[in-house]
Amino acid sequence: MSGALFILNLSCLITLSLFIGLLGVSSYVEKERRAVWISLGLFLFNLLFWAHFFFRTDPVSQVLNVALLAGLGIFTVLSLARFFPDPLEKRDMAEATLYDERDNMFARNNLAKHPELLEAYHRMRPENRSTDQQIHKKPDFGSPEQFFHDDHTTAVYLSAFEYLESTIPCSDGPPNEIKQPVDPESMTRTIMETVAFYGGCDTGIIDLEPYHFYSHRGRHARAWGEQTDRDYHSAIVIIVPMRVEMLKQAPTACVIQESAQKYVEAAKISNIVAGYLRSFGYRARAHNDANYDTLCVPLAVESGLGELGRMGIFMHKIHGPCVRIAVVTTDLALPPTESDRDPSMDAFCRICKKCADNCPSGSITHDEEQVSRGFRHWSIDQEKCFSYWKTVGSDCGLCIGVCPYTKPDTLLHKLVRWYISRNTLNQKIALFMDDLLYGRRMNIPKTNPDSIFNP
């Protein structure tokens, strides 16, 4: 074996061994046992594979070695290239119609407590009467009849949502009577630093359009049917990450506990930011769980923080769908954040389909985006999804748990995210490896883990 060939083989052996070793260690830390064993097997195979070329010096082995190294070189160059041959055009929102919050399943479920409003809604939407009646018959959240109910911990998330209800008055209020002159750039930096200081992982700012708002309120009886207040200029989008290890326990009670905790954190941050803006004399209103006038997902997507996923929810560019969102609207004109669309997340979502394969209620489509409300977007069968939630007693989260983007933000997963951001070939390889290491389908647990808060 020539000196050059020896060095190239040794370089491949060391590089691949380091990567597979990193994969194995990361999998062990993440408690992914299947991935640990497969990593060990790949590590041993890699050693034996390259050892063959170190100890076999016959002409056939030499030719195969050179061909293999040449192929690896070409493959490496292709992997570095960035190309997505058929990226979808930006969604045309010119004809978008506003969404009525009264049609949201949370709002419709809440109407079971208000018969007069329920009847008024079904006069407006008679096609939803039969479905709503079936869903209202299911046990409500906190009921011992729900599959993943836990006698000791269920009251924790119920208390968290009760607390969120009590914080609604903090979301809005009169601004300071004296409007102070501010530098929008400096104000933006302070807002972003504040979000990070209080536990947010990302912030986006966008100029508001009418379709960013609900047309009418529907979540609470006291304001049911009122038109939303759309007299704001800018929206501040706040992203709060959820713990991956909690969502990997989907659809057990771990998920609703994690959701509730992160909704509390998102409400805290958004209420503080809104109060901060009001102290300078500007109108500002926080939008958080069960207290929205805005649609959070399009605001997060259009402010450049990520993409709309096949499962109909927002996918952050780092944390994937494993996040919660809050929004602050204000009449102060703030400079929008960069919103150039990265085609890689959308392209990956189109080939992956793990969320659709694993959805226990069949709510997620395997098909392409459909046009509704005047524009193209992913959407789910919300009636099927919510019905399953009420059966199991959590907000499921199985689609989030199986998503390949739902990984800890470690060195390994940073490398993989960069790898799949380059081209469609890399994405197909990464998806194959994700299926191999973690499985194509997630098994649904039969019980809650022994420790719901520390699985």
Side-chain angles (χ1 to χ4, degrees), residues 1-9 57 62 66:
M1 180 184 294
S2 67
L5 204 56
F6 176 83
I7 292 173
L8 288 173
N9 284 335
T57 58
Q62 295 284 299
V66 171

Side-chain angles (χ1 to χ4, degrees), residues 72-83 422-423 425-426:
L72 282 174
I74 294 170
F75 176 77
T76 300
V77 171
L78 290 176
S79 295
L80 296 174
R82 183 171 171 82
F83 62 94
R422 306 309 297 168
N423 55 65
L425 173 63
N426 290 8

Side-chain angles (χ1 to χ4, degrees), residues 118-225:
L118 179 63
E119 185 56 35
Y121 176 73
H122 287 151
R123 285 197 299 270
M124 181 176 70
R125 301 279 194 273
E127 67 275 15
N128 291 338
R129 183 185 295 271
S130 176
T131 301
D132 290 349
Q133 288 173 345
Q134 294 300 314
I135 289 176
H136 290 165
K137 292 177 182 177
K138 288 180 171 287
D140 218 341
F141 291 96
S143 169
E145 299 173 53
Q146 293 181 315
F147 191 81
F148 289 112
H149 173 85
D150 181 81
D151 290 338
H152 296 286
T153 61
T154 292
V156 176
Y157 78 74
L158 292 175
S159 298
F161 286 120
E162 185 178 330
Y163 168 78
L164 283 167
E165 182 84 15
S166 72
T167 67
I168 288 178
C170 300
S171 66
D172 203 357
N176 194 317
E177 293 181 0
I178 302 175
K179 182 172 288 189
Q180 302 178 38
V182 299
D183 174 23
E185 296 282 352
S186 298
M187 181 73 79
T188 298
R189 283 195 300 273
T190 301
I191 289 170
M192 291 184 171
E193 289 170 354
T194 300
V195 170
F197 181 75
Y198 280 96
C201 67
D202 211 347
T203 312
I205 297 175
I206 185 172
D207 293 339
L208 285 160
E209 300 290 345
Y211 65 83
H212 291 141
F213 293 87
Y214 288 113
S215 63
H216 297 81
R217 300 186 178 107
R219 188 63 180 269
H220 301 284
R222 62 179 176 272
W224 194 86

Side-chain angles (χ1 to χ4, degrees), residues 38-323:
I38 292 175
S39 299
L40 179 60
L42 290 173
F43 189 85
L44 294 174
F45 174 79
N46 183 60
L47 290 177
L48 295 173
F49 181 83
W50 292 104
H52 168 83
F53 292 113
F54 283 119
F55 295 108
R56 292 290 298 271
T57 58
D58 58 279
V60 173
S61 293
Q62 295 284 299
V63 170
L64 287 174
N65 193 185
V66 171
L68 175 65
L69 291 170
L72 282 174
I74 294 170
F75 176 77
T76 300
V77 171
L78 290 176
S79 295
L80 296 174
R82 183 171 171 82
F83 62 94
F84 293 94
D86 298 306
L88 287 179
E89 295 180 359
K90 183 179 179 180
R91 292 181 179 86
D92 183 4
M93 306 302 290
E95 303 298 324
T97 59
L98 277 64
Y99 183 64
D100 191 333
E101 190 185 26
R102 292 173 292 183
D103 292 326
N104 182 281
M105 278 313 307
F106 296 103
R108 288 159 59 182
N109 185 62
N110 193 48
L111 290 181
K113 305 171 187 175
H114 306 281
E116 71 288 352
L117 295 180
L118 179 63
E119 185 56 35
Y121 176 73
H122 287 151
R123 285 197 299 270
M124 181 176 70
R125 301 279 194 273
E127 67 275 15
N128 291 338
R129 183 185 295 271
S130 176
T131 301
D132 290 349
Q133 288 173 345
Q134 294 300 314
I135 289 176
H136 290 165
K137 292 177 182 177
K138 288 180 171 287
D140 218 341
F141 291 96
S143 169
E145 299 173 53
Q146 293 181 315
F147 191 81
F148 289 112
H149 173 85
D150 181 81
D151 290 338
H152 296 286
T153 61
T154 292
V156 176
Y157 78 74
L158 292 175
S159 298
F161 286 120
E162 185 178 330
Y163 168 78
L164 283 167
E165 182 84 15
S166 72
T167 67
I168 288 178
C170 300
S171 66
D172 203 357
N176 194 317
E177 293 181 0
I178 302 175
K179 182 172 288 189
Q180 302 178 38
V182 299
D183 174 23
E185 296 282 352
S186 298
M187 181 73 79
T188 298
R189 283 195 300 273
T190 301
I191 289 170
M192 291 184 171
E193 289 170 354
T194 300
V195 170
F197 181 75
Y198 280 96
C201 67
D202 211 347
T203 312
I205 297 175
I206 185 172
D207 293 339
L208 285 160
E209 300 290 345
Y211 65 83
H212 291 141
F213 293 87
Y214 288 113
S215 63
H216 297 81
R217 300 186 178 107
R219 188 63 180 269
H220 301 284
R222 62 179 176 272
W224 194 86
E226 292 181 359
Q227 288 194 351
T228 52
D229 180 4
R230 301 189 280 275
D231 190 21
Y232 294 97
H233 184 281
S234 300
I236 302 156
V237 185
I238 297 164
I239 306 297
V240 177
M242 294 193 288
R243 283 167 282 217
V244 171
E245 63 270 22
M246 294 288 278
L247 270 294
K248 290 296 184 181
Q249 301 297 318
T252 70
C254 294
V255 178
I256 197 165
Q257 295 288 1
E258 180 67 8
S259 290
Q261 197 267 337
K262 290 307 185 287
Y263 278 131
V264 167
E265 294 302 304
K268 174 191 71 179
I269 299 169
S270 57
N271 287 340
I272 288 171
V273 171
Y276 168 73
L277 288 164
R278 290 196 296 269
S279 72
F280 284 86
Y282 294 90
R283 292 182 68 227
R285 201 270 208 202
H287 306 260
N288 34 60
D289 183 59
N291 181 33
Y292 302 105
D293 275 358
T294 59
L295 283 79
C296 294
V297 173
L299 287 170
V301 172
E302 292 173 29
S303 62
L305 299 179
E307 188 54 80
L308 173 65
R310 178 180 291 273
M311 70 282 278
I313 61 178
F314 172 68
M315 291 179 58
H316 185 256
K317 55 192 174 186
I318 293 175
H319 302 284
C322 198
V323 296

Side-chain angles (χ1 to χ4, degrees), residues 409-421:
D409 190 26
T410 60
L411 174 61
L412 171 69
H413 299 303
K414 289 179 191 291
L415 290 172
V416 174
R417 284 198 306 271
W418 178 85
Y419 181 75
I420 64 178
S421 73

